[in-house]
Amino acid sequence: QVRLVESGGGSVQAGGSLRLSCAASVASGYTYSNYFLAWFRQAPGKEREGVAAIDSDGRTKYADSVKGRFTIDRDNAKNTLSLQMDSLKTEDTAMYYCAAGSRRLLDLSLFNQRQYNYWGQGTQVTVSS
């Protein structure tokens, strides 16, 4: 139903900024604005973790490690999701994935991967000191 393609990753020095984008292709009969969305990341040797999420009403959730530095936003008219990343740290280095879910599992956190049935292929972010 949904195809997700991330872009915007790259290499940056600590303290710098990057903006990730996720473009969605939605099958006919489905509405992008009804999906809840998130950014996850996975560093080498570590588990995938939730970074930021936004529901269909625009309410947001952030991991403690990125609060005040990252901003998630969605544009339902353009079927896009973005992640503005400021004050980047070396520990932000990871592959970043966008994800979309259609049915909330209310007993699970928005950062639980089981909430999401659609995933992008990822975009690499590397922060150097």
Side-chain angles (χ1 to χ4, degrees):
Q1 302 171 3
V2 180
R3 180 171 176 263
L4 303 171
V5 179
E6 302 96 335
S7 62
S11 297
V12 65
Q13 287 194 321
S17 298
L18 280 175
R19 185 177 181 85
L20 305 183
S21 295
C22 176
S25 299
V26 182
S28 177
Y30 296 90
T31 304
Y32 180 75
S33 61
N34 291 339
Y35 292 87
F36 54 96
L37 309 166
W39 288 97
F40 285 76
R41 68 185 181 187
Q42 187 168 20
K46 294 189 177 181
E47 293 188 354
R48 190 173 297 188
E49 63 175 356
V51 173
I54 185 167
D55 67 13
S56 57
D57 293 322
R59 291 172 294 204
T60 59
K61 176 184 175 73
Y62 294 93
D64 288 343
S65 59
V66 307
K67 276 181 184 175
R69 300 189 298 121
F70 289 12
T71 303
I72 188 171
D73 194 17
R74 65 188 297 166
D75 186 333
N76 291 330
K78 296 181 179 179
N79 287 7
T80 57
L81 175 72
S82 64
L83 184 69
Q84 177 66 40
M85 304 186 295
D86 298 319
S87 302
L88 282 161
K89 304 177 180 180
T90 55
E91 52 262 44
D92 294 320
T93 295
M95 185 72 80
Y96 283 71
Y97 300 89
C98 64
S102 54
R103 291 185 180 181
R104 274 294 297 277
L105 302 174
L106 297 179
D107 57 338
L108 296 180
S109 163
L110 267 178
F111 286 159
N112 190 306
Q113 296 180 56
R114 289 173 54 195
Q115 295 273 21
Y116 301 91
N117 27 8
Y118 303 101
W119 294 83
Q121 82 290 347
T123 186
Q124 177 68 37
V125 171
T126 302
V127 184
S128 59
S129 58

